[in-house]
Amino acid sequence: MASTQAEVRWQTKRRTFMERNEYMWNKSLMSDVKFAFPNKGDTSTYKIIPAHKYVLAVGSPVFYAMFYGGMAEVRDIIEITDSDPDSFLHFLRFLYCDEANFVEVVSAIKVWYLAEKYDVPSLSRACVNFLDGNMDPLRAFDIIPYARTFGYEGLEEACWEVIEYNAEVIADDETFLDIEHEFVVSFLERSHLVITEVDLFNAVDRWAAKQCEDEGMKVDGPTKRSVLGDSLVQQIRFSSMSPKEFSDVVLPKNILTQEEIIFVFKSFYSDYVDVEDVAAPMFEFRGPRTSSAPMLSFTFSLNPLLRTSWQYVFESAMLSFEVSRPILLCGFQFLFNPTATSGCVSVTMWRQGVKMKQLIAKSRPDTWNTDSSHGQNKVFLNRPFTVKAKTCYTIELLGASSHSPSYYVTNDSSGFDTYPDQKDITTDENYDVTLKFCEGLRVDEISLNRPYFGHIERVLFTEKDCSLE
């Protein structure tokens, strides 16, 4: 708890109203309301957070009605039972300071709940934007119920895009076994899951076995089938498997009926047999799921603005470019100081000088190297990012102090210079995608005494083959 004693003449030491208002956050000075949080395991003691009715009422119509409405709250202490103190403090900080700096998804969800409860749409948007760009694929299913409850269809679709792109990782993880039945059905209904059908079947089989164990039922084929239900089983595209995969993997599980097995085998030879003559539940004939597209890359020349020496490079590396045809940006390779980061970096995307979103890019186990003094590693976004043709984009690679006010970006500069013979770089004659440097953003007032963080070397992408936006 902050001290109740105010600094002497504290107002004169803060230049702006926002700075003075920030000073009042979480202080008893002039506080006229307190929020009490029962301590876990001991409801007789409370964590107390002081606040100021005027500030709360200015930021939230719910607080305005609570403190200044016709039936105004007269209690000095208000008990809060649906939030923890840390989340509530984060929520109050936005009302006092207009700041919403999240560290991880769980805290953003908790603050989002408070933003909706107290009707603070600007904070809700900040939470949604953070979740959109930073969600871990393994937590995407956790976000969907909140997106539905609060009516954010765009965020729900973003969750499904992340799920589709990371389907193989999700299906292989233990957390998949605890997903609710309705989400498993919705998962199988997606047409762009990046996973083989046999791996998808194995994941569904493990999920069904876990449900049987949790309910104390026998774990065998018929019981798993009863747990799965016909509608879920019929979403699996058995005909896209090879006959050997179907025989070696599916049949031993004893989940399908004899009629269904005959139907699938006949579908393998549909050029010779009319499968519609089979009097059995029909599996829908659909194409295989999306397979992983070959990864391509653009290689950038070292840029004087991005690197002055190995020891002193500012913590925001920015690269502007445009492409001749649409691509899906998947990640990038960068040269970095292993002590500055460990497999996770923050990225800001700009389009035509306008900030679009902040994203988190993470490494894969086989792409991260910390053996050398300056690692050369790849990180990947949680889903592909659509890059339109003939449009200037800027990737900003942020270091640990990305919220530092000591650097900023402008769009009135001439952008990045390149060497005369490297203005245009073509990846491969078979793909007909050309990269060129363009006028973009630049970091001003670069401080050369900051620790080395890294710079972008390559952009990793696939050709645009789906409508992810």
Side-chain angles (χ1 to χ4, degrees):
M1 180 64 64
S3 172
T4 57
Q5 298 299 320
E7 299 176 29
V8 178
R9 301 178 67 244
W10 59 269
Q11 299 91 335
T12 63
K13 301 175 185 178
R14 290 157 179 81
R15 296 181 300 106
T16 66
F17 171 79
M18 184 60 71
E19 290 177 354
R20 293 188 290 273
N21 212 50
E22 179 180 4
Y23 179 80
M24 302 298 291
W25 171 72
N26 196 25
K27 282 188 171 60
S28 297
L29 178 65
M30 295 189 285
S31 170
D32 52 2
V33 65
K34 292 179 176 65
F35 295 98
F37 299 81
N39 287 322
K40 292 182 179 180
D42 183 8
T43 56
S44 63
T45 61
Y46 292 84
K47 163 78 173 182
I48 301 294
I49 296 178
H52 307 79
K53 293 180 180 179
Y54 169 77
V55 176
L56 304 184
V58 168
S60 161
V62 175
F63 280 132
Y64 178 83
M66 182 183 298
F67 299 131
Y68 299 100
M71 301 181 66
E73 179 65 64
V74 295
R75 291 176 298 169
D76 293 332
I77 299 179
I78 299 174
E79 184 173 313
I80 301 294
T81 58
D82 59 351
S83 175
D84 60 89
D86 290 340
S87 298
F88 203 81
L89 265 178
H90 203 147
F91 166 68
L92 291 182
R93 185 166 182 82
F94 184 84
L95 298 183
Y96 279 77
C97 315
D98 203 27
E99 290 182 3
N101 296 329
F102 301 106
V103 176
E104 40 87 30
V105 167
V106 174
S107 63
I109 291 177
K110 292 179 179 180
V111 175
W112 186 19
Y113 165 78
L114 294 171
E116 292 291 330
K117 175 182 177 179
Y118 294 102
D119 196 9
V120 187
S122 53
L123 179 56
S124 292
R125 286 192 297 270
C127 295
V128 169
N129 290 339
F130 177 86
L131 294 172
D132 183 355
N134 296 271
M135 74 176 78
D136 186 317
L138 299 179
R139 299 300 305 272
F141 281 110
D142 297 335
I143 299 174
I144 292 176
Y146 292 93
R148 291 178 177 176
T149 299
F150 299 143
Y152 285 82
E153 295 181 3
L155 180 60
E156 180 179 353
E157 187 55 35
C159 291
W160 283 115
E161 289 175 2
V162 170
I163 291 168
E164 286 182 337
Y165 185 61
N166 298 276
E168 184 176 355
V169 174
I170 293 172
D172 189 53
D173 193 82
E174 290 299 312
T175 58
F176 181 79
L177 305 182
D178 297 319
I179 295 175
E180 295 181 9
H181 184 275
E182 67 166 305
F183 285 142
V184 178
V185 175
S186 298
F187 182 62
L188 267 64
E189 288 175 347
R190 310 298 291 192
S191 294
H192 295 94
L193 297 179
V194 182
I195 187 174
T196 64
E197 209 66 21
V198 69
D199 286 341
L200 188 62
F201 170 80
N202 279 328
V204 171
D205 177 69
R206 289 188 295 107
W207 180 88
K210 176 66 160 48
Q211 309 312 305
C212 292
E213 292 174 355
D214 290 347
E215 295 297 326
M217 298 185 294
K218 183 178 180 180
V219 181
D220 59 11
T223 308
K224 288 189 286 187
R225 176 57 185 258
S226 66
V227 170
L228 293 171
D230 293 344
S231 61
L232 193 153
V233 173
Q234 290 170 9
Q235 290 297 328
I236 302 176
R237 304 176 185 185
F238 295 104
S239 59
S240 68
M241 299 179 186
S242 69
K244 179 175 175 52
E245 288 175 333
F246 184 74
S247 298
D248 293 350
V249 178
V250 178
L251 292 186
K253 301 299 183 181
N254 197 28
I255 289 178
L256 300 183
T257 65
Q258 183 176 1
E259 291 79 11
E260 290 169 340
I261 293 171
I262 294 173
F263 177 82
V264 173
F265 270 120
K266 287 192 172 184
S267 72
F268 292 142
Y269 308 101
S270 57
D271 290 340
Y272 309 100
V273 179
D274 186 358
V275 294
E276 293 185 359
D277 291 340
V278 181
M282 294 295 179
F283 295 107
E284 185 178 353
F285 283 97
R286 297 169 293 177
R289 315 281 175 173
T290 304
S291 59
S292 299
M295 190 73 67
L296 309 173
S297 68
F298 291 126
T299 301
F300 299 101
S301 61
L302 294 181
N303 191 300
L305 284 178
L306 294 183
R307 169 171 170 248
T308 55
S309 71
W310 287 117
Q311 290 76 30
Y312 302 109
V313 179
F314 56 88
E315 295 185 10
S316 175
M318 304 181 70
L319 185 64
S320 296
F321 67 94
E322 67 179 44
V323 291
S324 59
R325 59 182 291 183
I327 64 171
L328 288 173
L329 177 64
C330 301
F332 54 88
Q333 179 174 298
F334 69 101
L335 200 62
F336 82 116
N337 177 356
T339 63
T341 185
S342 58
C344 181
V345 297
S346 182
V347 182
T348 298
M349 290 296 300
W350 305 72
R351 184 171 61 198
Q352 301 288 69
V354 177
K355 184 176 180 179
M356 298 180 62
K357 59 178 61 178
Q358 186 166 318
L359 309 168
I360 290 293
K362 295 183 177 181
S363 67
R364 296 171 183 169
D366 59 343
T367 64
W368 194 255
N369 171 35
T370 58
D371 294 337
S372 62
S373 60
H374 293 94
Q376 187 182 58
N377 295 288
K378 296 176 182 178
V379 289
F380 300 87
L381 305 176
N382 61 17
R383 67 190 187 279
F385 181 89
T386 300
V387 172
K388 299 180 180 179
K390 299 180 180 179
T391 303
C392 185
Y393 289 85
T394 297
I395 302 175
E396 182 183 12
L397 177 65
L398 301 176
S401 59
S402 60
H403 295 292
S404 170
S406 59
Y407 71 83
Y408 57 93
V409 295
T410 63
N411 59 5
D412 59 354
S413 68
S414 59
F416 293 96
D417 297 323
T418 58
Y419 298 106
D421 60 343
Q422 294 176 320
K423 293 276 186 185
D424 298 295
I425 305 174
T426 305
T427 56
D428 191 309
E429 60 182 6
N430 297 325
Y431 289 99
D432 189 31
V433 179
T434 301
L435 168 77
K436 65 182 295 186
F437 292 94
C438 59
E439 292 189 359
L441 306 176
R442 146 179 183 176
V443 175
D444 288 345
E445 298 183 357
I446 298 172
S447 172
L448 297 183
N449 60 358
R450 298 190 188 177
Y452 172 76
F453 177 67
H455 66 264
I456 301 168
E457 284 198 319
R458 294 180 181 176
V459 168
L460 308 175
F461 70 98
T462 63
E463 286 200 288
K464 187 175 188 299
D465 58 0
C466 59
S467 58
L468 294 176
E469 292 293 343

